[in-house]
């Protein structure tokens, strides 16, 4: 048997595929556990597939999904190990902490589902309430690109992750690290001195320059 996707959060669904499943038309019913904890629900789709919705299972790798048909014993069970049950995704840092429209901010954190685990997974983001582009990079990295229309100022970056079969997107846990400054278009107003030789320095004065800090 197999299951897809290979990872999920609480309320995500996992499709277990196999053979010789009793169907609902035949009077079949199923119950499931994930890592030993009861699943939120189990639904027989066909003689070869069952949909299991993850419940309050303890998060961790290599959880076993056990599907029992009609309350039967081991002969009426399907067991498949290897499911990764993810804890609530969180962000711990953002870099850089300031940028312009079209700048990309890298958010580092934990428990992000990856494309290898779930090909249908995606993320969405807003910066100060304005929609931003979002990309899942790996289990600890997201990239958010500031879009046109985002007003200058300090803003919170809000991210949600959607997975295959999820009842609703999973909000990424907010922290102070999610706060970034969006800068207006930089402008140069003056420079001093007005003349110089090769290797001379010139100081350019203006506004909305991003700092090294």
């Amino acid at each position: 048997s197999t299951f897809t996707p290979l990872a999920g959060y609480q309320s995500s669904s996992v499709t277990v595929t196999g053979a010789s499943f009793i169907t609902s038309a035949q009077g079949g019913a199923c119950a499931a556990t994930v890592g030993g904890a009861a699943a939120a629900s189990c639904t027989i789709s066909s003689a070869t597939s069952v949909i299991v919705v993850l419940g309050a299972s303890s998060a961790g790798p290599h959880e076993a999904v056990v599907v029992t048909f009609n309350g039967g014993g081991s002969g009426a069970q399907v067991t498949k190990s290897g499911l990764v049950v993810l804890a609530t995704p969180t962000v711990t840092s953002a870099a850089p902490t300031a940028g312009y429209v079209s700048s990309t901010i890298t958010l580092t954190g934990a428990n992000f589902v990856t494309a290898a685990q779930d090909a249908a997974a995606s993320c969405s983001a807003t910066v100060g309430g304005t929609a931003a582009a979002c990309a899942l990079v790996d289990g600890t990295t997201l990239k958010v690109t500031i879009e046109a229309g985002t007003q200058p100022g300090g803003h919170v970056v809000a991210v949600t992750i959607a997975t295959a079969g999820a009842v609703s997107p999973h909000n990424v846990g907010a922290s102070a690290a999610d706060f970034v400054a969006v800068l207006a278009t930089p402008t140069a107003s003056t420079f001093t001195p007005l003349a110089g030789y090769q290797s001379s320095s010139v100081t350019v004065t203006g506004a909305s320059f991003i700092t090294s800090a």
Side-chain angles (χ1 to χ4, degrees):
S1 61
T2 62
F3 52 76
T4 54
L6 302 178
Y9 302 98
Q10 291 181 16
S11 81
S12 295
S13 66
V14 175
T15 299
V16 180
T17 303
S20 301
F21 298 167
I22 188 170
T23 66
S24 55
Q26 296 169 326
C30 66
T33 60
V34 179
S41 67
C42 180
T43 304
I44 301 173
S45 296
S46 69
T48 58
S49 66
V50 167
I51 297 175
V52 175
V53 176
L54 306 183
S57 173
S58 59
H62 314 306
E63 299 282 19
V65 180
V66 180
V67 179
T68 303
F69 296 94
N70 286 18
S74 60
Q77 284 186 341
V78 173
T79 300
K80 178 64 177 176
S81 298
L83 179 69
V84 176
V85 181
L86 297 166
T88 301
T90 57
V91 170
T92 54
S93 65
T97 55
Y100 304 99
V101 167
S102 78
S103 294
T104 296
I105 307 296
T106 298
L107 301 180
T108 302
N111 303 316
F112 303 155
V113 67
T114 67
Q117 294 169 329
D118 182 356
S122 63
C123 64
S124 59
T126 60
V127 178
T130 300
C134 184
L136 292 165
V137 178
D138 54 39
T140 60
T141 309
L142 297 168
K143 288 189 179 292
V144 174
T145 300
I146 302 170
E147 298 286 351
T150 306
Q151 297 301 306
H155 295 303
V156 171
V157 180
V159 177
T160 58
I161 296 175
T163 56
V167 175
S168 60
H170 301 273
N171 293 323
V172 176
S175 71
D178 302 339
F179 189 84
V180 299
V182 178
L183 303 173
T185 302
T187 57
S189 54
T190 62
F191 55 83
T192 55
L194 301 178
Y197 298 100
Q198 291 180 12
S199 78
S200 296
S201 63
V202 175
T203 298
V204 179
T205 304
S208 301
F209 298 165
I210 192 169
T211 68
S212 56

